[in-house]
Amino acid sequence: MSLRTLSDAERRDWVRLVRTPNIGPLTFARLIGRFGTATDALAALPDIAGRVAKGRRIELLSSAAAEDEIAATQRCGARIVASCEPDFPKLLVSLDPPPPLLTVIGNLALARPDAVAIVGARNASAAGRKIARDMAAELGLAGLVTVSGLALGIDGEAHAASLKTGTVAVLGGGADHVYPPQHDRLYREIAEQGLIVSESPIGYKARAQDFPRRNRIITGLARGTVVVEAAERSGSLISARMAGEQGREVMAVPGSPLDPRAAGTNGLIRQGAALVRHAADVLEVLSGLPPLQFAAPPPPAFTRDFLDGPLPEDQLARVRQALSPHPMPLDEIARAAGLNAAQCSAVLMELELAGEALSYPGGLVARAV
């Protein structure tokens, strides 16, 4: 994907395509890869949907609705940045697929590669809170930006301690939606001195299913992720898994085996995460990492079958059978269906447009239920 600043009309169409129902991140990447621009993809979608969705009409987001979102974003002092634009965070561009667009408030220059994510328990201990504060403050003095999710506990401590040196808060809801409400003041301070980032539209209130997507951006924006405290079934462990899948370094602070808030972090260390006690350990781990790669992944391939006519029914049936309610990687679905990646990609796009499949960030796909 070539980098370029979108015109107002192109930005409107980019928003239209991203917000259209049944257009997940994988299908968006396929459409941009095939047609080059959101404008051309929008023009082709009714014909594509007419062929693949078995009479189901695709409801494109209207131009007026997209313009309303852009205007509302601007009224909040925010702006929309597309993944094809030069100032889109470089580390996120390399994700497969990258988030198509972000809404940002504040200093976008803080979304730079020398960043560390600090995440952990909402019901953090006093010791965990102090570790997060001290680590974020010292990393900031060393020139690094901290990234977290504005949650109670570890997240809030990391943000507050690094306000003056640079902090990025990634939200599950819209960039104007303060959650939790106890962090209203901290949110306003970050908006003024740091950076607020969201993949959701302005005005949107986060639901439980939005937080894995938020966590993917937190870890994607950082060179490495530090988990300070986490129970065995914690969202912070999902963040650690995502960081590993993104090729980022995973670090964890050890804790007492008697404290359930340390069960997750101790488990990460057993699985190979770097043990860190303070900022000096984090800096040592980061100093040993190979150079970063910023190239965007190639768009998923199309097959001639998809472009020239309906896909074979046997391919559709095999992929339907391979799909699970639990999100799975595309290559695993292709293997189970006995197809190559390009064939499976085309079938999954057809099923998503028909409302039978759902694609998720990170190249994961599930059966729609």
PDB file of all heavy atoms in Angstrom, residues 115-142:
ATOM      1  N   ALA A 115       8.381   2.754  22.185  1.00  0.00           N
ATOM      2  CA  ALA A 115       7.300   2.762  23.177  1.00  0.00           C
ATOM      3  C   ALA A 115       7.232   1.404  23.862  1.00  0.00           C
ATOM      4  O   ALA A 115       7.578   0.373  23.278  1.00  0.00           O
ATOM      5  CB  ALA A 115       5.962   3.085  22.512  1.00  0.00           C
ATOM      6  N   VAL A 116       6.768   1.425  25.106  1.00  0.00           N
ATOM      7  CA  VAL A 116       6.587   0.201  25.885  1.00  0.00           C
ATOM      8  C   VAL A 116       5.166   0.200  26.435  1.00  0.00           C
ATOM      9  O   VAL A 116       4.708   1.207  26.997  1.00  0.00           O
ATOM     10  CB  VAL A 116       7.589   0.114  27.057  1.00  0.00           C
ATOM     11  CG1 VAL A 116       7.305  -1.119  27.910  1.00  0.00           C
ATOM     12  CG2 VAL A 116       9.018   0.072  26.538  1.00  0.00           C
ATOM     13  N   ALA A 117       4.458  -0.911  26.253  1.00  0.00           N
ATOM     14  CA  ALA A 117       3.132  -1.055  26.842  1.00  0.00           C
ATOM     15  C   ALA A 117       3.275  -1.595  28.263  1.00  0.00           C
ATOM     16  O   ALA A 117       4.053  -2.518  28.501  1.00  0.00           O
ATOM     17  CB  ALA A 117       2.280  -1.993  26.004  1.00  0.00           C
ATOM     18  N   ILE A 118       2.540  -0.991  29.190  1.00  0.00           N
ATOM     19  CA  ILE A 118       2.503  -1.468  30.580  1.00  0.00           C
ATOM     20  C   ILE A 118       1.044  -1.748  30.912  1.00  0.00           C
ATOM     21  O   ILE A 118       0.208  -0.838  30.891  1.00  0.00           O
ATOM     22  CB  ILE A 118       3.093  -0.429  31.552  1.00  0.00           C
ATOM     23  CG1 ILE A 118       4.549  -0.132  31.199  1.00  0.00           C
ATOM     24  CG2 ILE A 118       2.984  -0.927  32.995  1.00  0.00           C
ATOM     25  CD1 ILE A 118       5.190   0.936  32.065  1.00  0.00           C
ATOM     26  N   VAL A 119       0.727  -3.001  31.199  1.00  0.00           N
ATOM     27  CA  VAL A 119      -0.658  -3.398  31.462  1.00  0.00           C
ATOM     28  C   VAL A 119      -0.683  -4.289  32.698  1.00  0.00           C
ATOM     29  O   VAL A 119       0.352  -4.790  33.147  1.00  0.00           O
ATOM     30  CB  VAL A 119      -1.259  -4.149  30.249  1.00  0.00           C
ATOM     31  CG1 VAL A 119      -1.300  -3.251  29.019  1.00  0.00           C
ATOM     32  CG2 VAL A 119      -0.467  -5.422  29.936  1.00  0.00           C
ATOM     33  N   GLY A 120      -1.896  -4.476  33.223  1.00  0.00           N
ATOM     34  CA  GLY A 120      -1.999  -5.329  34.400  1.00  0.00           C
ATOM     35  C   GLY A 120      -3.362  -5.256  35.041  1.00  0.00           C
ATOM     36  O   GLY A 120      -4.323  -4.743  34.452  1.00  0.00           O
ATOM     37  N   ALA A 121      -3.425  -5.738  36.277  1.00  0.00           N
ATOM     38  CA  ALA A 121      -4.690  -5.932  36.976  1.00  0.00           C
ATOM     39  C   ALA A 121      -5.378  -4.607  37.303  1.00  0.00           C
ATOM     40  O   ALA A 121      -4.731  -3.611  37.625  1.00  0.00           O
ATOM     41  CB  ALA A 121      -4.444  -6.713  38.262  1.00  0.00           C
ATOM     42  N   ARG A 122      -6.709  -4.631  37.211  1.00  0.00           N
ATOM     43  CA  ARG A 122      -7.489  -3.474  37.659  1.00  0.00           C
ATOM     44  C   ARG A 122      -7.485  -3.385  39.186  1.00  0.00           C
ATOM     45  O   ARG A 122      -7.408  -2.295  39.746  1.00  0.00           O
ATOM     46  CB  ARG A 122      -8.931  -3.580  37.141  1.00  0.00           C
ATOM     47  CG  ARG A 122      -9.054  -3.327  35.641  1.00  0.00           C
ATOM     48  CD  ARG A 122     -10.482  -3.605  35.145  1.00  0.00           C
ATOM     49  NE  ARG A 122     -10.668  -3.155  33.780  1.00  0.00           N
ATOM     50  CZ  ARG A 122     -10.272  -3.820  32.701  1.00  0.00           C
ATOM     51  NH1 ARG A 122      -9.656  -4.992  32.859  1.00  0.00           N
ATOM     52  NH2 ARG A 122     -10.484  -3.350  31.494  1.00  0.00           N
ATOM     53  N   ASN A 123      -7.571  -4.526  39.851  1.00  0.00           N
ATOM     54  CA  ASN A 123      -7.550  -4.548  41.319  1.00  0.00           C
ATOM     55  C   ASN A 123      -6.122  -4.760  41.817  1.00  0.00           C
ATOM     56  O   ASN A 123      -5.845  -5.651  42.627  1.00  0.00           O
ATOM     57  CB  ASN A 123      -8.468  -5.649  41.848  1.00  0.00           C
ATOM     58  CG  ASN A 123      -8.014  -7.041  41.431  1.00  0.00           C
ATOM     59  OD1 ASN A 123      -7.374  -7.207  40.390  1.00  0.00           O
ATOM     60  ND2 ASN A 123      -8.338  -8.050  42.237  1.00  0.00           N
ATOM     61  N   ALA A 124      -5.226  -3.948  41.320  1.00  0.00           N
ATOM     62  CA  ALA A 124      -3.797  -4.131  41.591  1.00  0.00           C
ATOM     63  C   ALA A 124      -3.476  -3.913  43.065  1.00  0.00           C
ATOM     64  O   ALA A 124      -4.126  -3.133  43.764  1.00  0.00           O
ATOM     65  CB  ALA A 124      -2.985  -3.170  40.730  1.00  0.00           C
ATOM     66  N   SER A 125      -2.425  -4.574  43.508  1.00  0.00           N
ATOM     67  CA  SER A 125      -1.940  -4.384  44.870  1.00  0.00           C
ATOM     68  C   SER A 125      -1.181  -3.070  44.975  1.00  0.00           C
ATOM     69  O   SER A 125      -0.806  -2.462  43.963  1.00  0.00           O
ATOM     70  CB  SER A 125      -1.001  -5.536  45.249  1.00  0.00           C
ATOM     71  OG  SER A 125       0.199  -5.472  44.474  1.00  0.00           O
ATOM     72  N   ALA A 126      -0.934  -2.630  46.196  1.00  0.00           N
ATOM     73  CA  ALA A 126      -0.147  -1.410  46.392  1.00  0.00           C
ATOM     74  C   ALA A 126       1.250  -1.574  45.812  1.00  0.00           C
ATOM     75  O   ALA A 126       1.801  -0.649  45.192  1.00  0.00           O
ATOM     76  CB  ALA A 126      -0.074  -1.084  47.887  1.00  0.00           C
ATOM     77  N   ALA A 127       1.831  -2.768  45.972  1.00  0.00           N
ATOM     78  CA  ALA A 127       3.169  -3.015  45.428  1.00  0.00           C
ATOM     79  C   ALA A 127       3.156  -2.971  43.902  1.00  0.00           C
ATOM     80  O   ALA A 127       4.048  -2.398  43.265  1.00  0.00           O
ATOM     81  CB  ALA A 127       3.687  -4.366  45.907  1.00  0.00           C
ATOM     82  N   GLY A 128       2.124  -3.581  43.294  1.00  0.00           N
ATOM     83  CA  GLY A 128       2.015  -3.565  41.842  1.00  0.00           C
ATOM     84  C   GLY A 128       1.851  -2.165  41.296  1.00  0.00           C
ATOM     85  O   GLY A 128       2.440  -1.792  40.267  1.00  0.00           O
ATOM     86  N   ARG A 129       1.054  -1.359  41.978  1.00  0.00           N
ATOM     87  CA  ARG A 129       0.863   0.027  41.559  1.00  0.00           C
ATOM     88  C   ARG A 129       2.186   0.805  41.615  1.00  0.00           C
ATOM     89  O   ARG A 129       2.494   1.587  40.710  1.00  0.00           O
ATOM     90  CB  ARG A 129      -0.183   0.697  42.447  1.00  0.00           C
ATOM     91  CG  ARG A 129      -1.601   0.210  42.216  1.00  0.00           C
ATOM     92  CD  ARG A 129      -2.560   0.788  43.243  1.00  0.00           C
ATOM     93  NE  ARG A 129      -3.913   0.330  43.042  1.00  0.00           N
ATOM     94  CZ  ARG A 129      -4.811   0.940  42.278  1.00  0.00           C
ATOM     95  NH1 ARG A 129      -4.490   2.058  41.646  1.00  0.00           N
ATOM     96  NH2 ARG A 129      -6.027   0.468  42.145  1.00  0.00           N
ATOM     97  N   LYS A 130       2.934   0.595  42.674  1.00  0.00           N
ATOM     98  CA  LYS A 130       4.218   1.303  42.801  1.00  0.00           C
ATOM     99  C   LYS A 130       5.193   0.874  41.706  1.00  0.00           C
ATOM    100  O   LYS A 130       5.907   1.707  41.130  1.00  0.00           O
ATOM    101  CB  LYS A 130       4.831   1.055  44.177  1.00  0.00           C
ATOM    102  CG  LYS A 130       6.131   1.842  44.408  1.00  0.00           C
ATOM    103  CD  LYS A 130       6.695   1.618  45.797  1.00  0.00           C
ATOM    104  CE  LYS A 130       7.871   2.566  46.070  1.00  0.00           C
ATOM    105  NZ  LYS A 130       8.940   2.486  45.042  1.00  0.00           N
ATOM    106  N   ILE A 131       5.235  -0.425  41.430  1.00  0.00           N
ATOM    107  CA  ILE A 131       6.118  -0.906  40.356  1.00  0.00           C
ATOM    108  C   ILE A 131       5.734  -0.263  39.032  1.00  0.00           C
ATOM    109  O   ILE A 131       6.602   0.183  38.265  1.00  0.00           O
ATOM    110  CB  ILE A 131       6.036  -2.446  40.270  1.00  0.00           C
ATOM    111  CG1 ILE A 131       6.699  -3.078  41.489  1.00  0.00           C
ATOM    112  CG2 ILE A 131       6.696  -2.946  38.982  1.00  0.00           C
ATOM    113  CD1 ILE A 131       6.464  -4.572  41.607  1.00  0.00           C
ATOM    114  N   ALA A 132       4.436  -0.203  38.737  1.00  0.00           N
ATOM    115  CA  ALA A 132       3.986   0.396  37.478  1.00  0.00           C
ATOM    116  C   ALA A 132       4.349   1.879  37.409  1.00  0.00           C
ATOM    117  O   ALA A 132       4.821   2.367  36.377  1.00  0.00           O
ATOM    118  CB  ALA A 132       2.478   0.216  37.324  1.00  0.00           C
ATOM    119  N   ARG A 133       4.148   2.589  38.526  1.00  0.00           N
ATOM    120  CA  ARG A 133       4.489   4.028  38.564  1.00  0.00           C
ATOM    121  C   ARG A 133       5.977   4.238  38.343  1.00  0.00           C
ATOM    122  O   ARG A 133       6.392   5.041  37.500  1.00  0.00           O
ATOM    123  CB  ARG A 133       4.080   4.635  39.909  1.00  0.00           C
ATOM    124  CG  ARG A 133       2.630   4.954  40.066  1.00  0.00           C
ATOM    125  CD  ARG A 133       2.402   5.903  41.233  1.00  0.00           C
ATOM    126  NE  ARG A 133       3.027   5.453  42.480  1.00  0.00           N
ATOM    127  CZ  ARG A 133       2.431   4.642  43.362  1.00  0.00           C
ATOM    128  NH1 ARG A 133       1.222   4.184  43.119  1.00  0.00           N
ATOM    129  NH2 ARG A 133       3.038   4.300  44.482  1.00  0.00           N
ATOM    130  N   ASP A 134       6.774   3.529  39.113  1.00  0.00           N
ATOM    131  CA  ASP A 134       8.221   3.723  39.032  1.00  0.00           C
ATOM    132  C   ASP A 134       8.754   3.328  37.654  1.00  0.00           C
ATOM    133  O   ASP A 134       9.600   4.021  37.076  1.00  0.00           O
ATOM    134  CB  ASP A 134       8.926   2.896  40.114  1.00  0.00           C
ATOM    135  CG  ASP A 134       8.636   3.403  41.524  1.00  0.00           C
ATOM    136  OD1 ASP A 134       8.090   4.525  41.644  1.00  0.00           O
ATOM    137  OD2 ASP A 134       8.954   2.684  42.490  1.00  0.00           O
ATOM    138  N   MET A 135       8.252   2.222  37.125  1.00  0.00           N
ATOM    139  CA  MET A 135       8.727   1.754  35.836  1.00  0.00           C
ATOM    140  C   MET A 135       8.374   2.749  34.736  1.00  0.00           C
ATOM    141  O   MET A 135       9.214   3.103  33.891  1.00  0.00           O
ATOM    142  CB  MET A 135       8.114   0.379  35.522  1.00  0.00           C
ATOM    143  CG  MET A 135       8.630  -0.256  34.242  1.00  0.00           C
ATOM    144  SD  MET A 135       7.907  -1.906  33.980  1.00  0.00           S
ATOM    145  CE  MET A 135       8.727  -2.847  35.272  1.00  0.00           C
ATOM    146  N   ALA A 136       7.121   3.239  34.718  1.00  0.00           N
ATOM    147  CA  ALA A 136       6.701   4.190  33.681  1.00  0.00           C
ATOM    148  C   ALA A 136       7.493   5.488  33.786  1.00  0.00           C
ATOM    149  O   ALA A 136       7.913   6.050  32.766  1.00  0.00           O
ATOM    150  CB  ALA A 136       5.203   4.462  33.808  1.00  0.00           C
ATOM    151  N   ALA A 137       7.693   5.968  35.004  1.00  0.00           N
ATOM    152  CA  ALA A 137       8.428   7.229  35.177  1.00  0.00           C
ATOM    153  C   ALA A 137       9.874   7.087  34.709  1.00  0.00           C
ATOM    154  O   ALA A 137      10.400   7.958  34.000  1.00  0.00           O
ATOM    155  CB  ALA A 137       8.380   7.658  36.644  1.00  0.00           C
ATOM    156  N   GLU A 138      10.529   5.990  35.073  1.00  0.00           N
ATOM    157  CA  GLU A 138      11.934   5.793  34.700  1.00  0.00           C
ATOM    158  C   GLU A 138      12.089   5.538  33.204  1.00  0.00           C
ATOM    159  O   GLU A 138      13.049   6.001  32.578  1.00  0.00           O
ATOM    160  CB  GLU A 138      12.524   4.655  35.523  1.00  0.00           C
ATOM    161  CG  GLU A 138      12.671   5.004  37.001  1.00  0.00           C
ATOM    162  CD  GLU A 138      12.983   3.787  37.856  1.00  0.00           C
ATOM    163  OE1 GLU A 138      13.477   2.787  37.287  1.00  0.00           O
ATOM    164  OE2 GLU A 138      12.728   3.831  39.074  1.00  0.00           O
ATOM    165  N   LEU A 139      11.161   4.804  32.609  1.00  0.00           N
ATOM    166  CA  LEU A 139      11.214   4.600  31.165  1.00  0.00           C
ATOM    167  C   LEU A 139      11.016   5.919  30.423  1.00  0.00           C
ATOM    168  O   LEU A 139      11.656   6.184  29.402  1.00  0.00           O
ATOM    169  CB  LEU A 139      10.156   3.582  30.727  1.00  0.00           C
ATOM    170  CG  LEU A 139      10.406   2.136  31.144  1.00  0.00           C
ATOM    171  CD1 LEU A 139       9.203   1.269  30.812  1.00  0.00           C
ATOM    172  CD2 LEU A 139      11.649   1.576  30.461  1.00  0.00           C
ATOM    173  N   GLY A 140      10.137   6.765  30.958  1.00  0.00           N
ATOM    174  CA  GLY A 140       9.942   8.080  30.366  1.00  0.00           C
ATOM    175  C   GLY A 140      11.202   8.922  30.421  1.00  0.00           C
ATOM    176  O   GLY A 140      11.573   9.586  29.442  1.00  0.00           O
ATOM    177  N   LEU A 141      11.886   8.903  31.564  1.00  0.00           N
ATOM    178  CA  LEU A 141      13.133   9.663  31.690  1.00  0.00           C
ATOM    179  C   LEU A 141      14.207   9.121  30.754  1.00  0.00           C
ATOM    180  O   LEU A 141      15.115   9.848  30.344  1.00  0.00           O
ATOM    181  CB  LEU A 141      13.623   9.613  33.140  1.00  0.00           C
ATOM    182  CG  LEU A 141      12.750  10.373  34.152  1.00  0.00           C
ATOM    183  CD1 LEU A 141      13.258  10.153  35.568  1.00  0.00           C
ATOM    184  CD2 LEU A 141      12.709  11.867  33.827  1.00  0.00           C
ATOM    185  N   ALA A 142      14.100   7.832  30.383  1.00  0.00           N
ATOM    186  CA  ALA A 142      15.048   7.238  29.438  1.00  0.00           C
ATOM    187  C   ALA A 142      14.668   7.517  27.988  1.00  0.00           C
ATOM    188  O   ALA A 142      15.352   7.060  27.079  1.00  0.00           O
ATOM    189  CB  ALA A 142      15.127   5.736  29.669  1.00  0.00           C
TER     190      ALA A 142
END
